[in-house]
Amino acid sequence: MSTTSSAPAQTQKSMADYASEFGLKPDEYQVILDRLGREPNYVELGVFSVMWSEHCSYKSSRMHLRKFPVTGERVICGPGENAGVIDIGDGQACIFKMESHNHPSYIEPYQGAATGVGGIMRDVFTMGARPVALLNALRFGEPSHPKTKRIVEGVVAGIGGYGNCVGVPTVAGETNFHAGYNGNCLVNAMCVGLADADKIFYSAAPEPGLPVVYFGSKTGRDGIHGATMSSAEFSEDSEEKRPTVQVGDPFAEKLLIEATLELMASGAVAAIQDMGAAGLTSSSVEMAGKGGLGITLDLDKVPQREANMSAYEMMLSESQERMLAILKPGRENDGYRIFEKWGLDAAVIGETNTSGHIVLKHKGEVVCDLPLGPLSDDAPLYDRPWVEPDMEAPLASVPSAPVGDALLTILASPDMASKRWLWEQYDRHVMADTLADSATGSDAGMVRVHGTKKALAVTSDCTPRYVKANPYEGGKQAVAEAWRNLTAVGADPIAITDNLNFGNPERPKIMGQIVRAIDGMAEACRELNFPVVSGNVSLYNETNGVAIPPTPTVGAVGLLADYDQRVGFHTLKAGQVLVLIGETAGELGSSLYLREVHGIEAGAPPKVDLSVEKRNGDFVRDLIRSKTAKAVHDLSDGGLLPAAFDMASASGVGIELKNSTALEDHVFAFAEDQARYLIAVDEASAHLVLAKAAEAGVPALTIGVAGGSDLSLTGVMSLSLDELKTANERWLPEFMG
Amino acid sequence: MKATVHIFLKAGVLDVQGKAVEGALNGLAGTAGWSDVANVRVGKVLEFDLKSTDKAAAEAEVKSMCEKLLANTVIESYRIEVA
Amino acid sequence: MKATVHIFLKAGVLDVQGKAVEGALNGLAGTAGWSDVANVRVGKVLEFDLKSTDKAAAEAEVKSMCEKLLANTVIESYRIEVA
Amino acid sequence: MKAAVLVFPGSNCDRDCKVAVEVTTGAQVSMVWHQDTSLPAGLDLIVVPGGFSYGDYLRCGAMASLSPVMAEVVKAAQRGVSVVGICNGFQILCEAGLLPGALMRNAGLKYVCKPIELTIENRNTRFTSAYGDKSSVWMTQGNGDGNFFADAETLKAIEDNHQVVFRYVENPNGSVNNIAGIMNTEGNVLGMMPHPDRAFEPALGSADGAPLFHSLMRVLQAA
Ligand SMILES: Nc1ncnc2c1ncn2[C@@H]1O[C@H](COP(=O)(O)OP(=O)(O)O)[C@@H](O)[C@H]1O
Ligand SMILES: [Mg+2]
């Protein structure tokens, strides 16, 4: 084997120079030298650098991720595979995961977001599931920043362009704007799929001597070093370093889904893995490594889009819409028949063996021969130094404001404004099983489990301003809000996936944010019996030393046994009584009210008491099941009055509220205390609900009645729904216009 | 003056449309009596009228339009003709 | 041989994309220092290689491709170059 | 009733159409691959489903219209078999010449997905007889190229012959004369942008698509 396989000929750099260029730290490179007992060649170094990148190895976060509860009655497969798998009864399973495509979306918004959606779908159908729902959690820079509009435009078009074409409904998501994302937008996409519980496919190669089949699109020079790129900070010159942009082909993805599911149904598949970040490298290394085997690939057989691709380029390419499967003995022809039917390129490119090595051949030469152990098991694991992150102290006092004006301001603010402009570009109804989507007036998206009375409820949540103010409480809150959103539609919350977006973990304060947010999330998951079954970490979201607000996005899935028991907040009727469930102490620290009305971003965020959260939520879910609660909305951003507006506006009927508490009106209207719900009940059942609540120890207060066409707070303010709706609907289309 | 701008994906960037059109043309070739085609690329073309009567100035102006708005230079390259 | 096909919407069919680009260019004109443009039309351009070495035969072949697939003559017109 | 749903590479409403026809009519529905050179015998209905056949690359429906199976669909349509094209299916039928006109980019240049109110313009068709005197119906729509166009002469013919079956109450895409769905002069081929296949039972938000399939059943029962 030549020791300089495929290194660019003209340069005189040493392997150590290349190591640092590829993002390996000197001590990491030393480990490679020690393990190999020799210098790696260029291809081998490339393989190490991507496998040991933050993106593939989770080297900064891995030891903290272990704190998450990952098991539970309904968990079939937790983190570690391409996606998490939960049992939804009747022999069926739900498979889901969330993933980021932050850096690519900043560089090329349309393709970055599109390929993000494509990538997360592959993680799900790789395990045997048909994708049935998509979600996206988006964080953009402040509206006045010169890049924001273009990024929003491209990201939204890219998400729609890909998901719509593949034919999976995009049913929910969230969108924030903040100066903290000016230099790094966040694009987190989640995919949810359905499979038979006894037909789930895994990536570990089961035995030696099996054919390794490549299928999908051809390999080009796209995104080489994408995985290491996404593990680096941006700086002025990152424009120069950017890899060839990956372009998504949703049409190819659609064919790939059908071909993959057909191949699986044919019984030919022994193991399978999509080619995601670090493409052929990570897929082959992981499949062989997990199986405790070895693998040999003949790179000349790889379907190639461009002439003269080097081994290095093929191994590091992140060309999209590609899969790697290990077939059962002698089943190659089943594969070829299916790939031909769907018009996909395919080739047997290698074989599993017992060598414990990955061996790559190219043009008659062995260009890489590495033991698999060090690549995955000995990947660096860091206990990075961390300090308590900056935290906001409780506020001494909160300024007041005229409630009606404040409401108009909040409803028209970028974070609260209707996102119609955006989700009307997403196909939300394809597959004809959508029960609730972004347009519905529902705290979670809902899709039927095809052909049954069951439904999945899905949501994505994080409140970055809380996490910034207190990573631990904010981490708890993100999980609690997701749990609450599922509860509010009548679903049993089952499990979550997450996407941990942070700055540079080598800075102790950032590492502190990561550690404390994970602590908070883990505690909430434990207390709410809401395990983590999959997830993704995106670090180094910084530009010129400025990190994003810590943003641990939670994607959650719940189950309804009978979708006729679902509820939304669009079903309020005149005459119904509004009951506020949960206690309002008057939490206004880091609230939307303070930020939007007074320009203050300060104060301790609302406390999350998980036992209260659980008690209140279980109580509300029972009211939904017994059909007592006719409409339900959780209280989150902006507090009571914006939630009442949502309910009134989605239902087309006014609400008259009354503040009978000792709280000042602006506090009553806008406090963001947790574990609260606004529910509508028939007048006749109102006192029964209050009695039941008292019995269960759940704070409940009758606060108003539905009717008319205004939203009012008696004696304080009254505004027509039309005026409020206009304020809420106007901002985004005007901004994008 | 009249400007014509051609915009294509840069070499090396996957041209999904080109790939699909090539497949379709070659798929039909048999029945339609065409020979096979290769290297299909699909791009955009823009034509418009400019006030400027100076060719060099017009070219500079259209170049600036391409850089700022018409082309996405991360993945696309463009060619300008002014006449 | 190399074929180039230009496809535009027919005159009389509203070119909404052209209108939008025109609006965007003229909207930026002030700050970017451009003069206003007019009559913007946005079309498609296809390039591909043909086996044929005879120009007339190649042209006929490409014309048949346009009629059958590449253009929709209800709304579009096309122009062929073969070289 | 015996029905078939075509499947092109990139079709994504093929299953939706199958289920909608089955649920509303109890028909037997077979799926027909785009490369098939014959259709099942004795079909009463052929559905050309929505989606992104061939990725919508080049022009929506253009490549699919040239699939081998479409030659058979044209023959079946000439024999009088009912053909319904929905969304991408409508685009394919226009490209195949089974319906007049063309579908262009939406006037707003964006994909638009939303519930849409339609008026029924012609109640005396095999697709609409079961709507009774319902004045308007709701279905959802989702497309980027739903802007129907026909030149003045063609348009006049379409209107004069009462070929317009559905019209938008509020035009979402710039379609000429607010046209949402048309049929051929013989009245057996329908193309429409809104999705009856996503509006066939109340849980989906509307069941107003169901009478379209019921209408087709009536024709058969009467025959
Ligand atoms: N990026 C997005 N994609 C899809 N739907 C979105 C997106 N952003 C917001 N939405 C939808 O807009 C509605 C309001 O969003 P949000 O205020 O975040 O909801 P909630 O208060 O329940 O957390 C929800 O239905 C949500 O799913
Ligand atoms: Mg909510």
Side-chain angles (χ1 to χ4, degrees):
Chain A
M1 176 171 64
S2 73
T3 50
T4 54
S5 283
S6 316
Q10 70 279 16
T11 62
Q12 319 217 320
K13 289 180 191 160
S14 69
M15 278 302 143
D17 293 337
Y18 284 125
S20 87
E21 204 168 276
F22 292 175
L24 288 165
K25 299 277 148 69
D27 48 339
E28 292 174 347
Y29 184 59
Q30 190 55 50
V31 174
I32 295 174
L33 294 177
D34 294 346
R35 295 287 195 280
L36 291 185
R38 63 174 168 87
E39 203 171 57
N41 68 28
Y42 193 74
V43 179
E44 292 171 335
L45 192 65
V47 169
F48 265 108
S49 73
V50 294
M51 288 308 296
W52 286 13
S53 68
E54 192 68 55
H55 192 86
C56 292
S57 74
Y58 293 89
K59 56 192 171 192
S60 302
S61 57
R62 212 156 81 227
M63 60 169 291
H64 298 286
L65 296 177
R66 289 177 188 150
K67 296 173 193 163
F68 285 141
V70 296
T71 55
E73 263 163 69
R74 286 188 179 273
V75 177
I76 295 176
C77 173
E81 280 291 332
N82 286 297
V85 186
I86 58 175
D87 184 347
I88 57 165
D90 311 306
Q92 293 176 309
C94 171
I95 302 185
F96 64 100
K97 183 166 186 272
M98 183 183 268
E99 194 160 72
S100 66
H101 232 206
N102 303 336
H103 290 64
S105 299
Y106 191 78
I107 293 170
E108 171 25 44
Y110 184 99
Q111 295 298 342
T115 53
V117 173
I120 193 60
M121 276 198 267
R122 283 194 293 287
D123 274 333
V124 165
F125 70 75
T126 283
M127 298 197 68
R130 178 169 287 282
V132 297
L134 290 167
L135 296 86
N136 56 103
L138 311 176
R139 322 278 166 192
F140 300 112
E142 62 192 326
S144 60
H145 188 275
K147 279 197 167 163
T148 301
K149 187 174 150 182
R150 207 195 101 245
I151 293 179
V152 175
E153 178 104 41
V155 164
V156 170
I159 289 171
Y162 206 100
N164 298 349
C165 179
V166 172
V168 180
T170 299
V171 297
E174 50 177 345
T175 313
N176 291 158
F177 294 85
H178 192 273
Y181 304 103
N182 281 354
N184 301 76
C185 62
L186 302 184
V187 175
N188 296 172
M190 172 172 167
C191 179
V192 182
L194 286 169
D196 287 342
D198 61 352
K199 294 198 191 74
I200 291 163
F201 290 81
Y202 297 95
S203 56
E207 55 185 279
L210 299 181
V212 177
V213 178
Y214 167 123
F215 65 101
S217 299
K218 291 186 171 74
T219 295
R221 294 193 172 90
D222 320 44
I224 289 173
H225 269 303
T228 43
M229 270 287 300
S230 70
S231 308
E233 277 180 50
F234 274 3
S235 63
E236 310 286 324
D237 69 347
S238 62
E239 302 275 300
E240 299 305 310
K241 275 195 217 143
R242 75 185 163 219
T244 317
V245 171
Q246 311 153 30
V247 172
D249 182 355
F251 173 55
E253 180 98 340
K254 170 67 176 166
L255 305 180
L256 203 57
I257 294 180
E258 299 305 332
T260 302
L261 296 179
E262 207 169 306
L263 186 67
M264 288 166 166
S266 79
V269 177
I272 186 162
Q273 162 88 43
D274 65 303
M275 291 190 227
L280 202 45
T281 297
S282 67
S283 53
S284 56
V285 166
E286 279 169 25
M287 290 179 91
K290 277 186 188 161
L293 297 171
I295 190 167
T296 300
L297 301 181
D298 180 354
L299 298 182
D300 297 318
K301 303 254 171 68
V302 170
Q304 294 160 48
R305 200 171 78 222
E306 293 179 63
N308 303 321
M309 289 193 65
S310 69
Y312 172 86
E313 288 170 329
M314 274 187 262
M315 290 310 288
L316 270 70
S317 163
E318 294 192 355
S319 288
Q320 301 290 297
E321 294 94 21
R322 301 179 301 161
M323 305 287 287
L324 202 62
I326 295 176
L327 299 187
K328 293 183 184 158
R331 302 298 293 267
E332 292 92 325
N333 285 337
D334 289 299
Y336 285 130
R337 181 177 46 79
I338 291 165
F339 303 137
E340 195 187 322
K341 170 179 170 192
W342 291 103
L344 297 171
D345 279 296
V348 173
I349 62 165
E351 205 183 38
T352 58
N353 53 46
T354 54
S355 69
H357 280 231
I358 174 167
V359 175
L360 304 175
K361 295 182 185 154
H362 189 221
K363 299 195 164 143
E365 219 189 324
V366 170
V367 294
C368 164
D369 184 347
L370 294 173
L372 287 162
L375 272 172
S376 34
D377 306 347
D378 299 351
L381 175 61
Y382 293 129
D383 185 359
R384 299 222 186 257
W386 62 278
V387 296
E388 271 305 327
D390 293 335
M391 275 189 282
E392 291 289 338
L395 293 170
S397 68
V398 171
S400 73
V403 173
D405 295 350
L407 178 61
L408 282 167
T409 302
I410 289 172
L411 291 181
S413 67
D415 278 2
M416 281 297 267
S418 166
K419 303 300 181 297
R420 177 185 301 278
W421 178 90
L422 163 169
W423 46 248
E424 276 192 348
Q425 297 181 54
Y426 302 155
D427 187 340
R428 307 183 304 278
H429 309 119
V430 62
M431 299 190 95
D433 279 315
T434 301
L435 300 170
D437 60 73
S438 308
T440 305
S442 168
D443 282 314
M446 278 182 272
V447 294
R448 298 191 289 202
V449 175
H450 189 70
T452 74
K453 283 301 271 186
K454 294 189 291 189
L456 299 173
V458 294
T459 181
S460 137
D461 294 280
C462 178
T463 313
R465 60 178 194 279
Y466 295 167
V467 190
K468 177 127 196 275
N470 183 326
Y472 177 74
E473 287 297 321
K476 280 197 324 197
Q477 197 275 341
V479 175
E481 183 170 351
W483 187 88
R484 203 182 307 145
N485 278 329
L486 299 180
T487 297
V489 300
D492 285 315
I494 297 186
I496 70 165
T497 179
D498 66 76
N499 206 140
L500 306 177
N501 308 276
F502 291 88
N504 180 350
E506 293 163 49
R507 295 205 284 139
K509 276 201 174 161
I510 300 285
M511 197 60 217
Q513 289 178 337
I514 299 171
V515 172
R516 299 300 286 148
I518 289 177
D519 286 344
M521 293 169 79
E523 175 167 352
C525 289
R526 265 192 309 274
E527 293 300 313
L528 297 171
N529 188 19
F530 207 24
V532 179
V533 295
S534 59
N536 177 246
V537 178
S538 170
L539 304 180
Y540 298 94
N541 292 289
E542 303 205 1
T543 298
N544 298 329
V546 181
I548 56 158
T551 312
T553 313
V554 172
V557 175
L559 181 68
L560 289 108
D562 176 355
Y563 62 71
D564 287 334
Q565 289 189 331
R566 74 191 185 278
V567 70
F569 55 79
H570 59 299
T571 45
L572 178 69
K573 299 218 163 46
Q576 287 173 345
V577 170
L578 290 147
V579 178
L580 177 62
I581 302 292
E583 190 183 352
T584 311
E587 298 262 17
L588 275 166
S590 290
S591 64
L592 212 55
Y593 165 81
L594 268 188
R595 191 180 82 190
E596 298 302 330
V597 178
H598 297 289
I600 300 171
E601 294 188 50
K607 283 179 293 298
V608 179
D609 182 327
L610 295 161
S611 61
V612 169
E613 190 74 56
K614 180 145 187 0
R615 185 194 65 198
N616 294 2
D618 290 346
F619 178 74
V620 169
R621 202 178 309 103
D622 284 345
L623 291 181
I624 297 171
R625 298 273 161 85
S626 64
K627 306 245 176 203
T628 310
K630 305 295 185 190
V632 176
H633 195 5
D634 78 306
L635 265 53
S636 55
D637 279 338
L640 174 63
L641 223 46
F645 161 75
D646 284 347
M647 193 180 263
S649 154
S651 308
V653 56
I655 292 179
E656 186 170 354
L657 296 173
K658 204 170 171 174
N659 177 9
S660 60
T661 68
L663 300 164
E664 286 177 90
D665 291 321
H666 68 280
V667 179
F668 178 70
F670 302 120
E672 294 183 3
D673 297 70
Q674 299 294 295
R676 295 188 303 161
Y677 301 81
L678 183 60
I679 67 170
V681 300
D682 287 336
E683 199 185 350
S685 57
H687 61 273
L688 191 69
V689 169
L690 295 185
K692 271 193 186 161
E695 207 175 297
V698 172
L701 187 66
T702 302
I703 58 164
V705 40
S709 55
D710 294 343
L711 175 62
S712 54
L713 184 56
T714 305
V716 179
M717 68 118 215
S718 181
L719 290 165
S720 79
L721 281 182
D722 284 343
E723 183 182 355
L724 292 165
K725 211 167 175 160
T726 304
N728 185 240
E729 291 285 347
R730 192 172 49 206
W731 180 77
L732 189 53
E734 274 182 5
F735 171 59
M736 296 308 299
Chain B
M1 304 200 82
K2 211 172 179 62
T4 306
V5 178
H6 283 89
I7 302 171
F8 280 100
L9 288 168
K10 286 182 179 167
V13 177
L14 173 66
D15 178 359
V16 293
Q17 294 217 61
K19 191 173 86 169
V21 173
E22 184 166 320
L25 284 174
N26 292 343
L28 287 172
T31 47
W34 308 326
S35 52
D36 279 5
V37 299
N39 303 320
V40 179
R41 302 205 307 153
V42 179
K44 269 186 297 214
V45 52
L46 288 95
E47 290 184 357
F48 50 91
D49 295 334
L50 278 169
K51 289 235 173 73
S52 173
T53 50
D54 177 72
K55 189 164 171 186
E59 269 173 5
E61 204 171 308
V62 176
K63 182 165 195 296
S64 149
M65 291 172 180
C66 286
E67 291 286 331
K68 261 209 148 76
L69 181 74
L70 301 180
N72 175 354
T73 53
V74 176
I75 50 175
E76 294 172 329
S77 58
Y78 56 88
R79 196 175 73 229
I80 295 170
E81 290 154 56
V82 172
Chain C
M1 306 202 82
K2 215 176 176 62
T4 307
V5 178
H6 283 88
I7 303 168
F8 282 100
L9 288 172
K10 284 181 177 169
V13 178
L14 178 66
D15 178 1
V16 282
Q17 241 185 315
K19 277 267 156 315
V21 172
E22 184 166 320
L25 283 174
N26 291 343
L28 283 174
T31 46
W34 307 326
S35 52
D36 280 4
V37 299
N39 303 321
V40 179
R41 301 204 308 152
V42 179
K44 276 182 284 214
V45 52
L46 286 94
E47 289 184 359
F48 50 89
D49 296 334
L50 277 169
K51 289 236 176 71
S52 174
T53 49
D54 176 73
K55 191 165 169 184
E59 269 173 5
E61 205 169 306
V62 177
K63 183 162 194 296
S64 149
M65 290 173 182
C66 287
E67 290 288 329
K68 248 202 144 80
L69 175 69
L70 302 180
N72 178 345
T73 52
V74 174
I75 46 174
E76 294 170 326
S77 60
Y78 58 89
R79 196 175 72 228
I80 296 169
E81 290 153 56
V82 171
Chain D
M1 182 156 85
K2 230 181 139 188
V5 175
L6 307 186
V7 184
F8 300 95
S11 293
N12 63 29
C13 304
D14 42 342
R15 187 192 75 183
D16 307 4
C17 288
K18 178 184 198 305
V19 172
V21 173
E22 283 171 352
V23 168
T24 53
T25 68
Q28 253 181 37
V29 182
S30 41
M31 307 304 272
V32 177
W33 186 236
H34 69 123
Q35 277 175 335
D36 287 0
T37 48
S38 66
L39 292 167
L43 285 181
D44 304 300
L45 168 66
I46 300 167
V47 183
V48 192
F52 287 68
S53 57
Y54 294 91
D56 271 1
Y57 298 141
L58 185 66
R59 213 172 50 250
C60 303
M63 297 193 232
S65 73
L66 297 171
S67 291
V69 76
M70 281 308 294
E72 300 307 307
V73 173
V74 171
K75 285 185 215 154
Q78 282 161 354
R79 285 197 309 270
V81 175
S82 299
V83 179
V84 176
I86 301 166
C87 197
N88 192 224
F90 185 10
Q91 295 161 342
I92 293 169
L93 294 179
C94 288
E95 285 283 343
L98 280 172
L99 290 171
L103 291 142
M104 308 199 304
R105 268 307 264 293
N106 288 345
L109 295 174
K110 288 194 165 29
Y111 186 99
V112 180
C113 172
K114 64 174 174 188
I116 281 268
E117 188 178 10
L118 305 169
T119 55
I120 299 163
E121 292 295 302
N122 186 341
R123 287 159 202 282
N124 297 317
T125 79
R126 65 171 81 183
F127 308 103
T128 51
S129 64
Y131 280 102
D133 52 9
K134 216 167 171 28
S135 63
S136 78
V137 297
W138 284 88
M139 295 179 200
T140 71
Q141 164 145 321
N143 61 67
D145 298 76
N147 179 354
F148 183 76
F149 174 86
D151 60 39
E153 199 183 319
T154 310
L155 192 61
K156 184 169 185 308
I158 293 172
E159 293 286 1
D160 290 350
N161 296 334
H162 306 287
Q163 284 170 254
V164 178
V165 181
F166 297 106
R167 238 187 269 275
Y168 299 115
V169 173
E170 266 177 67
N171 194 331
N173 52 25
S175 277
V176 62
N177 289 9
N178 300 322
I179 287 172
I182 56 164
M183 60 183 186
N184 61 350
T185 43
E186 292 74 20
N188 67 315
V189 178
L190 168 74
M192 60 192 297
M193 288 317 291
H195 281 277
D197 53 322
R198 300 180 186 181
F200 60 87
E201 52 193 9
L204 297 173
S206 168
D208 289 351
L212 191 150
F213 301 109
H214 296 154
S215 303
L216 287 161
M217 281 296 279
R218 281 194 179 185
V219 177
L220 283 180
Q221 281 154 358

